[in-house]
Amino acid sequence: MLEIFNHGKIRELRLARPPVNALNPELVKLLTQSLREAETECGALIISGREGIFSAGLDVVELMQLDRQGIADFWSAFFELLETVALSKIPIAAAITGHSPAGGAVVCLMCDYRVMSRGEYRIGLNETRVGLIIPPVLQNAMARLVGPKLAEQMLVAGTLIAPESAVKNGFVDALETGYEATIQHAIQWCEKLLSLPQHSMLGNRSIARAHFKQEFASNTPASVASFVDTWFSDETQKVIAALVAQLKSKG
Amino acid sequence: MLEIFNHGKIRELRLARPPVNALNPELVKLLTQSLREAETECGALIISGREGIFSAGLDVVELMQLDRQGIADFWSAFFELLETVALSKIPIAAAITGHSPAGGAVVCLMCDYRVMSRGEYRIGLNETRVGLIIPPVLQNAMARLVGPKLAEQMLVAGTLIAPESAVKNGFVDALETGYEATIQHAIQWCEKLLSLPQHSMLGNRSIARAHFKQEFASNTPASVASFVDTWFSDETQKVIAALVAQLKSKG
Amino acid sequence: MLEIFNHGKIRELRLARPPVNALNPELVKLLTQSLREAETECGALIISGREGIFSAGLDVVELMQLDRQGIADFWSAFFELLETVALSKIPIAAAITGHSPAGGAVVCLMCDYRVMSRGEYRIGLNETRVGLIIPPVLQNAMARLVGPKLAEQMLVAGTLIAPESAVKNGFVDALETGYEATIQHAIQWCEKLLSLPQHSMLGNRSIARAHFKQEFASNTPASVASFVDTWFSDETQKVIAALVAQLKSKG
């Protein structure tokens, strides 16, 4: 479900839940826990995926079986994961080794740096298309990457884009050709930061990312309730049921 | 003064006040009222202009005849129009079919999307050149499109730019060749949004545009008084009188 | 130490402290005082450097001889300089005539406009590399120029960039070839602003830069104490001592 590799002081957490690294409650908890362990044991982190897929996002097939409490618990746990990435004490690079829609893209937003593999892949927050509503903290994180206007337009339309567009508009920071090259790029990015005076690198980083602290603090229980309400609304259930049917017919 | 067309669930409000679609009290009120009606009757909106001119901005010839109360009322009504555009419950595209300086550009800033006609046209907030001061809410709206630094530099210098520059720096979102193509592009943009699950499209849009709510709420009566003071200052009266003389010699 | 030239209503303050225009307590005070005088005597300002060097930043050799009180006084004075630039009543262009790392770049951030000479020069906030931590007000000023994501990545890594990269990502606004051309460009930028109605140019500028007022107001005594603590930390003293040794072996 999650493979762990150490490259010197750099730890790579590789999502390994075939076929599409869908984020279910178990993977979300395991990833959060592994990130916390790494913070005290390592100097920098990489979150990577399988060849061709970083993560397809939330595991809607599994989530459709949960009741209101189950969905509330999952959404809280997913936000805990995102907060853990965003407020990590050490830098995190995303090695986006393939498709990364919706929840997969959201995890990438929270990292310090994003390198993506070239190919017929798509990345973006297409939640509108699956009937979901993206909370302010995540919308703001996207605005930091591509600017507030483009973030609004992409979020409203649920736009998925190719790697070349993503690097052009700032959604990702660099492209590489091939799986290994993508991971190597992330390792080199980490190594560069680890070669600097650590107290000032981390001190400047902490100030630059302090806004995340305030924004996650504003993610109240009310916003969890709001997600649960949306999830169980007739409109969203209908869209997700159609999506699940489509996924099952493929599988 | 304002022509109304329906394209399925999309309503087009076409500014039609020759020669330059200048915004006088009557047009501002009519546009505000038509936007409100459309919100309950339609799924998406287009504001368009005449061939070669979107709007030349405020009708300074007519405004020069108003007393302090008249200017205060007009400025309040103009802000009500801008707030109505910015906080519209349904998406709005601007089909910028030609020149769009000053007040014309300000209306465009508040829309969700801007497509402009290629040609010898200019767009921008050139208020500095006509002696007027742009309130924070409008400056911030421009910063969302082109970034805070460029917004500051363009606003301070009163810069007008060509369509090609406008699409490059983010002031507009797309260009089209010809009047009909510009309006068709806006219609297609609306149709695309209307093809998505509406509750999540509108829910995500509402969060992305919530900042407008806070900013317009801060536009106090004091800021209206400040506009009136500037309008009747010797410096501004002199600049506008020269502008009016120039317009009349042309007309 | 500081040469003063008047070009009509435009005053040029030329840093002239060989070899590298390092900012020591004396130059910082003189520059602040000269900026304040110019505000009441001129219409616009230019801060320029020597051929090949704008400023190498803080004079670490001299600062290493100061005690805690001396460093606290210097840091307060440097912030007073930055605040004076940022909140100047008249527009300021930086004519970046060569290298401009660290403190040199920070002064440029606070100006209204930046033109840089083409050549083998570097600009950027490389404080991480010299063990220093950049306070929020300066990080935010950089984010206004290059966007929040790139600002974070450059600040954390202490990245120095070439003029071509700087104009591409917005750190500077224009490039010129040669020393005189760079200063002439700055003069022409000032002249353009001085040709506009001054009350509206300055009125719009004041609103566009109001954020600086709030941000400098939040720069409490606590942040001075924090800088002093960092300066005298073992890690930073070690990095700066190595830097000073390197500078002395060169000199």
Side-chain angles (χ1 to χ4, degrees):
Chain A
M1 185 166 276
L2 189 70
E3 294 171 356
I4 299 183
F5 303 91
N6 289 311
H7 312 276
K9 294 176 71 177
I10 301 157
R11 180 164 300 170
E12 179 188 349
L13 304 177
R14 190 176 293 185
L15 302 171
R17 185 171 177 251
V20 293
N21 289 338
L23 299 163
N24 70 344
E26 197 182 343
L27 178 53
V28 163
K29 255 176 223 176
L30 184 58
L31 185 52
T32 305
Q33 185 190 323
S34 304
L35 287 161
R36 284 184 184 151
E37 282 168 16
E39 279 190 306
T40 57
E41 297 169 4
C42 311
L45 264 162
I46 295 166
I47 304 175
S48 61
R50 305 174 67 217
E51 186 158 1
I53 185 90
F54 178 76
S55 166
L58 306 188
D59 186 338
V60 285
V61 177
E62 189 168 330
L63 295 183
M64 278 297 269
Q65 298 163 19
L66 299 178
D67 62 7
R68 290 185 73 90
Q69 188 58 50
I71 290 292
D73 290 347
F74 174 75
W75 190 245
S76 296
F78 183 57
F79 249 76
E80 206 179 322
L81 165 61
L82 298 177
E83 187 172 359
T84 304
V85 176
L87 301 181
S88 165
K89 284 175 193 141
I90 59 176
I92 306 183
I96 310 170
T97 53
H99 288 296
S100 191
V106 167
V107 171
C108 298
L109 291 182
M110 300 298 150
C111 296
D112 296 54
Y113 185 80
R114 286 145 294 276
V115 53
M116 186 170 183
S117 299
R118 287 190 187 89
E120 295 298 311
Y121 307 132
R122 294 291 178 272
I123 189 168
L125 278 75
N126 59 329
E127 275 77 354
T128 282
R129 291 171 190 270
V130 294
L132 296 178
I133 293 173
I134 303 162
V137 53
L138 307 187
Q139 295 209 5
N140 293 343
M142 179 149 166
R144 281 178 65 86
L145 301 194
V146 301
K149 183 193 75 168
L150 194 54
E152 175 188 327
Q153 292 177 345
M154 290 178 70
L155 289 165
V156 170
T159 311
L160 292 174
I161 55 177
E164 288 71 22
S165 301
V167 80
K168 207 173 158 190
N169 70 28
F171 198 107
V172 306
D173 301 298
L175 300 184
E176 287 290 347
T177 301
Y179 182 73
E180 283 305 329
T182 303
I183 290 172
Q184 278 305 313
H185 184 119
I187 292 173
Q188 281 162 21
W189 179 85
C190 290
E191 282 172 348
K192 201 177 153 195
L193 289 192
L194 292 175
S195 74
L196 298 167
Q198 291 300 286
H199 73 291
S200 47
M201 184 276 281
L202 294 173
N204 281 316
R205 181 179 177 273
S206 166
I207 290 172
R209 296 174 73 82
H211 63 97
F212 277 126
K213 206 160 196 167
Q214 299 171 331
E215 297 202 29
F216 275 101
S218 73
N219 190 56
T220 58
S223 75
V224 174
S226 163
F227 180 80
V228 174
D229 285 344
T230 302
W231 182 268
F232 286 102
S233 69
D234 289 347
E235 296 99 328
T236 301
Q237 285 289 305
K238 209 167 139 185
V239 177
I240 297 179
L243 180 69
V244 168
Q246 193 189 345
L247 289 171
K248 286 190 172 163
S249 74
K250 274 189 195 168
Chain B
M1 184 166 276
L2 189 70
E3 293 171 356
I4 299 182
F5 303 90
N6 289 312
H7 311 276
K9 295 176 72 176
I10 301 158
R11 181 164 299 170
E12 179 187 350
L13 303 178
R14 190 177 293 185
L15 303 171
R17 184 170 178 252
V20 294
N21 289 338
L23 299 164
N24 70 345
E26 197 183 345
L27 179 53
V28 163
K29 256 175 222 176
L30 184 57
L31 186 51
T32 305
Q33 184 190 322
S34 305
L35 287 161
R36 284 184 184 151
E37 282 168 16
E39 278 190 307
T40 57
E41 297 170 3
C42 310
L45 264 162
I46 294 167
I47 305 176
S48 61
R50 305 175 65 218
E51 186 159 1
I53 185 90
F54 179 76
S55 165
L58 306 188
D59 186 339
V60 285
V61 177
E62 191 169 330
L63 295 184
M64 277 298 268
Q65 298 163 19
L66 299 179
D67 62 8
R68 291 185 72 89
Q69 188 58 50
I71 290 293
D73 290 346
F74 173 75
W75 191 245
S76 296
F78 183 57
F79 249 76
E80 206 179 320
L81 166 61
L82 297 176
E83 187 171 359
T84 304
V85 176
L87 301 182
S88 166
K89 284 175 193 140
I90 59 176
I92 306 183
I96 309 170
T97 53
H99 287 298
S100 191
V106 167
V107 171
C108 298
L109 290 183
M110 300 298 149
C111 296
D112 296 54
Y113 185 81
R114 287 144 295 275
V115 53
M116 186 171 184
S117 299
R118 287 190 187 88
E120 295 298 309
Y121 308 131
R122 292 292 177 274
I123 189 167
L125 278 75
N126 59 331
E127 275 77 354
T128 282
R129 291 172 191 270
V130 294
L132 297 177
I133 292 172
I134 303 163
V137 52
L138 307 187
Q139 295 208 6
N140 293 343
M142 179 147 166
R144 279 178 65 86
L145 301 193
V146 302
K149 183 194 73 167
L150 193 54
E152 175 188 326
Q153 292 177 345
M154 290 179 69
L155 289 165
V156 170
T159 310
L160 292 173
I161 55 177
E164 287 71 22
S165 300
V167 79
K168 207 174 157 189
N169 70 29
F171 198 107
V172 305
D173 302 296
L175 299 184
E176 287 290 348
T177 301
Y179 183 73
E180 282 305 329
T182 304
I183 290 172
Q184 278 306 312
H185 184 119
I187 292 173
Q188 281 161 21
W189 180 85
C190 290
E191 282 172 346
K192 202 178 153 192
L193 289 193
L194 291 175
S195 74
L196 298 166
Q198 292 299 286
H199 73 291
S200 47
M201 185 275 282
L202 294 173
N204 281 316
R205 180 179 177 273
S206 166
I207 290 172
R209 295 174 74 82
H211 63 95
F212 277 126
K213 206 160 198 169
Q214 300 170 330
E215 297 203 28
F216 274 101
S218 73
N219 190 56
T220 58
S223 74
V224 174
S226 163
F227 180 80
V228 175
D229 285 344
T230 302
W231 182 268
F232 286 103
S233 69
D234 290 347
E235 297 98 328
T236 301
Q237 285 289 304
K238 208 168 140 185
V239 177
I240 296 179
L243 179 69
V244 168
Q246 193 189 344
L247 288 172
K248 285 190 173 163
S249 74
K250 273 190 197 169
Chain C
M1 185 167 276
L2 189 69
E3 295 170 355
I4 299 183
F5 303 90
N6 289 311
H7 311 277
K9 295 175 71 177
I10 302 158
R11 181 163 299 169
E12 179 188 350
L13 304 177
R14 191 176 292 184
L15 303 171
R17 185 171 177 252
V20 294
N21 290 337
L23 300 163
N24 71 344
E26 198 183 344
L27 178 54
V28 163
K29 257 176 220 175
L30 184 58
L31 185 52
T32 305
Q33 185 189 321
S34 305
L35 287 161
R36 284 184 184 152
E37 282 168 15
E39 279 190 306
T40 58
E41 297 170 3
C42 309
L45 265 162
I46 294 166
I47 305 175
S48 61
R50 305 174 67 217
E51 187 159 0
I53 185 92
F54 178 76
S55 166
L58 307 187
D59 186 338
V60 285
V61 177
E62 191 168 329
L63 296 184
M64 277 298 268
Q65 299 162 18
L66 300 179
D67 62 7
R68 290 185 72 90
Q69 188 58 49
I71 290 292
D73 290 346
F74 174 76
W75 190 246
S76 295
F78 183 57
F79 249 77
E80 206 179 320
L81 166 61
L82 298 176
E83 186 172 359
T84 304
V85 176
L87 301 181
S88 166
K89 285 175 193 141
I90 59 176
I92 307 182
I96 310 170
T97 53
H99 287 296
S100 191
V106 167
V107 171
C108 299
L109 290 183
M110 300 298 150
C111 296
D112 296 55
Y113 186 80
R114 288 145 294 276
V115 52
M116 186 170 185
S117 299
R118 287 188 187 88
E120 295 298 311
Y121 307 131
R122 293 292 178 272
I123 189 167
L125 278 75
N126 59 330
E127 275 77 354
T128 283
R129 290 171 191 271
V130 294
L132 297 177
I133 292 172
I134 303 163
V137 53
L138 308 187
Q139 295 208 6
N140 293 343
M142 179 147 165
R144 280 179 64 86
L145 302 193
V146 302
K149 182 194 75 168
L150 194 53
E152 175 188 327
Q153 291 177 345
M154 291 179 69
L155 289 165
V156 170
T159 311
L160 292 173
I161 55 176
E164 288 69 23
S165 301
V167 80
K168 207 174 157 189
N169 71 29
F171 198 108
V172 305
D173 302 297
L175 299 184
E176 287 289 347
T177 302
Y179 183 72
E180 283 305 328
T182 303
I183 291 172
Q184 279 305 314
H185 184 117
I187 293 173
Q188 282 161 20
W189 179 84
C190 290
E191 282 172 347
K192 201 178 153 193
L193 289 193
L194 292 175
S195 74
L196 299 166
Q198 292 300 285
H199 74 291
S200 48
M201 185 276 280
L202 294 173
N204 280 316
R205 181 180 177 274
S206 167
I207 290 172
R209 295 173 74 81
H211 63 96
F212 277 126
K213 207 160 197 167
Q214 300 170 330
E215 297 203 28
F216 275 101
S218 74
N219 190 56
T220 59
S223 74
V224 174
S226 163
F227 180 80
V228 175
D229 284 344
T230 303
W231 182 269
F232 286 102
S233 69
D234 289 347
E235 297 99 327
T236 301
Q237 285 289 305
K238 208 168 141 185
V239 177
I240 297 180
L243 180 68
V244 168
Q246 192 190 346
L247 288 171
K248 285 188 172 164
S249 73
K250 273 190 195 169

